[in-house]
Amino acid sequence: MSGEQKAEAKGEQAKGKLKETAGRLTGNERQTAEGRAEQVKGDAREAKEKAKDAFKH
């Protein structure tokens, strides 16, 4: 996985976790859901990059 793509995936995961936590603390279900979605997006990006790396080797 390229360093840049890995950083983006981790950034999305972290941003999503923060947003989800903030949503839970404030009782904002929409923000909680958006945070979860961002985490899933980051997870998917990370999995895609790992799959690319597996086929390169």
Side-chain angles (χ1 to χ4, degrees), residues 14-41:
K15 183 179 171 186
K17 186 67 174 172
L18 287 172
K19 192 179 257 189
E20 178 184 4
T21 301
R24 284 185 181 176
L25 291 173
T26 61
N28 186 334
E29 290 183 27
R30 180 177 177 201
Q31 189 175 25
T32 301
E34 287 175 1
R36 284 187 191 138
E38 284 184 30
Q39 287 180 66
V40 168
K41 186 177 175 185

Side-chain angles (χ1 to χ4, degrees), residues 38-57:
E38 284 184 30
Q39 287 180 66
V40 168
K41 186 177 175 185
D43 292 343
R45 181 187 301 251
E46 186 175 34
K48 180 181 103 177
E49 291 302 316
K50 284 183 179 180
K52 279 186 191 177
D53 285 347
F55 286 110
K56 285 182 184 178
H57 298 285

